[in-house]
Amino acid sequence: MAAALWWRSITPSNDRDWAPDVARMTTGSLSLATHSGKRATIETSSTAPLASDATELVTLHNVRNFTWRSETDIDERWETRHYDLAQLSSVDLIVSYWTIPAIAHTLVSFGFDDGRHVVFSVEIRKEKGEEFSEIGGFLKRFELSVVAADERDIIGVRSKVRDEKVFLFRTQLNAADRRALFLAYIDEANTLAATPRFYHTLTANCTTIVFGMMQRIIGDLPWDYRLLASGYLPNYVYDLGGLDTRYDFAILERMGYVSRRVNAALSDAAAADAKEASGVEFSRAIRVGIPELSGKN
């Protein structure tokens, strides 16, 4: 009884001495703008049809855009960004490996017609000096956070600074599902900012939370062990027809290995002293050699 009471007494919080990369929490809002200039905020879960003269605009607060030279040598930038959902044109699955093949971190990148990308990542919210631990993830050690970030930041730190192996896969989501997933991430981010929640190694992590979003959007997705062994998630999505099935998975995986291109793009920018190198150029460079999807809608 005492142990149960103690366990219940451990509650999540958004008020701690956080590590710099999770010091702020992403939030977002959706508004409708008309040609006449009128603008009104609406719920991100809204499914009401748009008026013919209305545009859906998303504002994201606290988008991370750090420049990383090492884990401790960082230029910190948090930005407010605006996106037109009518221009949301792609969703890419990104997985980053640092240990055995079964373990990876899942990220999702949303691309727009103007070449910009923003990545969402479900992460543990470490306090200063804390390190990730799978065991700690069972023991209410870490809170959850949804981080929205520039690709140069969140892919670059994993590949170049942490020496992780990063793979990128184009997904087959249609326009309606791309929109729904983008707004689902914002809903999740807003919920966590308002009501803190603990990370759990098995049930509330970077993969299972995204699976829950997709289950609500698409429905009837089968449960599979690869949802727990997140390093095999791309194989699972491929088997469901969610990746480019014109190629065998092994070929897709080989084409989608982006770490060398990521590191080269960051090194080129550093050599040129391009402190504000174009994020659009970076996103284009790391996708060289990955075929565009055919018949995208």
Side-chain angles (χ1 to χ4, degrees):
M1 178 64 73
L5 290 173
W6 167 77
W7 183 253
R8 290 181 182 178
S9 73
I10 305 173
T11 57
S13 173
N14 282 336
D15 185 18
R16 304 190 194 279
D17 189 14
W18 303 112
D21 57 327
V22 290
R24 302 190 190 185
M25 299 188 77
T26 296
T27 59
S29 61
L30 174 65
S31 62
L32 291 182
T34 64
H35 295 163
S36 63
K38 294 181 179 178
R39 191 160 176 169
T41 300
I42 61 174
E43 295 294 325
T44 52
S45 56
S46 173
T47 57
L50 285 178
S52 58
D53 67 339
T55 299
E56 289 185 306
L57 301 177
V58 167
T59 298
L60 290 181
H61 302 282
N62 293 326
V63 177
R64 203 181 76 199
N65 188 15
F66 287 13
T67 298
W68 300 79
R69 287 172 291 275
S70 71
E71 287 282 11
T72 56
D73 186 6
I74 310 165
D75 295 334
E76 299 179 23
R77 286 190 301 274
W78 297 92
E79 301 173 347
T80 296
R81 295 189 177 186
H82 306 279
Y83 300 95
D84 180 349
L85 282 185
Q87 295 185 13
L88 177 56
S89 56
S90 67
V91 177
D92 295 332
L93 172 65
I94 300 168
V95 286
S96 187
Y97 299 81
W98 66 93
T99 179
I100 62 175
I103 296 178
H105 184 70
T106 303
L107 310 95
V108 176
S109 180
F110 293 86
F112 292 82
D113 290 340
D114 59 6
R116 292 186 301 159
H117 288 76
V118 62
V119 180
F120 284 97
S121 175
V122 177
E123 308 222 350
I124 64 167
R125 204 169 183 208
K126 301 188 302 291
E127 296 177 56
K128 288 181 179 176
E130 265 190 327
E131 297 291 337
F132 174 69
S133 158
E134 286 87 357
I135 299 300
F138 288 101
L139 301 175
K140 295 185 176 182
R141 183 172 168 183
F142 309 111
E143 279 83 2
L144 270 173
S145 181
V146 172
V147 175
D150 191 270
E151 283 195 334
R152 289 169 299 177
D153 171 341
I154 204 162
I155 299 175
V157 66
R158 288 184 172 275
S159 178
K160 190 170 179 62
V161 174
R162 299 174 186 165
D163 198 28
E164 298 180 12
K165 292 179 171 58
V166 181
F167 295 79
L168 185 149
F169 302 90
R170 302 186 192 270
T171 73
Q172 300 269 21
L173 286 181
N174 61 40
D177 291 343
R178 291 195 295 267
R179 173 191 179 276
L181 183 58
F182 190 82
L183 294 179
Y185 266 109
I186 296 174
D187 273 341
E188 187 70 29
N190 289 344
T191 297
L192 289 171
T195 308
R197 178 184 175 190
F198 281 121
Y199 172 93
H200 191 279
T201 299
L202 290 182
T203 62
N205 59 46
C206 64
T207 300
T208 57
I209 287 179
V210 180
F211 174 76
M213 295 179 194
M214 292 306 302
Q215 189 72 278
R216 293 191 294 273
I217 294 166
I218 297 175
D220 298 323
L221 294 175
W223 181 257
D224 191 285
Y225 78 93
R226 290 171 291 188
L227 297 168
L228 299 179
S230 55
Y232 302 126
L233 180 67
N235 309 69
Y236 170 80
V237 177
Y238 180 85
D239 288 347
L240 293 178
L243 303 183
D244 191 345
T245 53
R246 295 174 299 175
Y247 303 92
D248 290 339
F249 179 77
I251 296 174
L252 273 189
E253 189 174 42
R254 187 164 62 248
M255 292 188 296
Y257 178 59
V258 297
S259 285
R260 293 190 185 93
R261 296 194 289 272
V262 168
N263 297 350
L266 293 173
S267 295
D268 289 347
D273 197 25
K275 294 180 180 179
E276 301 296 332
S278 167
V280 172
E281 292 173 1
F282 175 86
S283 295
R284 186 183 300 117
I286 68 174
R287 287 170 173 81
V288 170
I290 305 176
E292 294 278 356
L293 293 170
S294 61
K296 184 174 63 177
N297 60 358

